[in-house]
Amino acid sequence: MALFILYGVGARYFLGSSPIWFDELARYAIIAAAMIGVGAVWVDGAHMRVSVLETRVPEGLRKIIILYQWLLTLALAGSMTWFSYQYVGKVGFFQTPGLQVSRSVPVALMPIGFGLLFLMALINGPKALPQAAVENDL
C-alpha cells in the first residue's frame, strides 16, 4: 500500500501526473486490510469498546454485559454481512473509474470482512477485555 501511494505521489511530483488507478488500488488495498483484519482485532480485544460498565460493576452484572456485547457484535456483524452481500449484487454492472473493473470486486471486501468478524466472534464466544486494557482504563 505504501509503495502504491509513494509511486503516485512521486509520479505526480516528478512526472506531473500519475495513473488514476494507482490511487484507487491503494484505497482498495487499505479498505481490504481493514476489513480482513477486523476479526483478529476483535479477538485480541483491541477494538474500541466502552469498558466503564464492564470494569465498574459487580461480577454477575459484568457477565451479563459481556454476553450482551458479544450478542450485539454477532447481530451487527451478521446483518452487515448479509446486507453488504446483497449490495455486491446491486453494483455489479458499474465499473470503477480508474481500474475499470466491476464495482462488485472492491465492494465484495465488505461481506468478507464482516463475515470473518462474525465467525471470529462466534468461535471465540463472549469474553472480557484483556487485563492490560482494563488496568489502563482505571
Side-chain angles (χ1 to χ4, degrees):
M1 287 179 282
L3 291 176
F4 292 139
I5 294 170
L6 286 174
Y7 174 79
V9 171
R12 276 192 297 269
Y13 183 74
F14 293 113
L15 305 175
S17 69
S18 86
I20 188 172
W21 60 271
F22 258 77
D23 293 335
E24 197 171 283
L25 187 60
R27 184 176 333 120
Y28 294 149
I30 290 169
I31 293 168
M35 292 305 297
I36 291 172
V38 72
V41 171
W42 187 87
V43 168
D44 288 342
H47 261 280
M48 290 186 348
R49 184 165 160 183
V50 179
S51 62
V52 67
L53 289 176
E54 188 177 329
T55 58
R56 303 201 193 312
V57 296
E59 185 63 28
L61 187 55
R62 181 173 181 254
K63 289 181 181 180
I64 293 171
I65 290 171
I66 292 169
L67 178 65
Y68 170 75
Q69 290 172 341
W70 178 68
L71 291 172
L72 186 62
T73 301
L74 286 177
L76 290 174
S79 62
M80 287 306 297
T81 301
W82 174 253
F83 290 128
S84 59
Y85 175 75
Q86 295 296 316
Y87 185 66
V88 168
K90 293 177 182 177
V91 297
F93 53 89
F94 294 114
Q95 287 190 334
T96 61
L99 294 171
Q100 295 297 312
V101 296
S102 172
R103 191 96 164 124
S104 62
V105 173
V107 173
L109 298 169
M110 293 177 60
I112 292 169
F114 283 120
L116 289 173
L117 173 60
F118 179 83
L119 287 175
M120 295 297 282
L122 186 65
I123 290 168
N124 285 283
K127 64 181 190 178
L129 281 171
Q131 196 59 28
V134 173
E135 291 171 1
N136 289 335
D137 196 35
L138 297 175

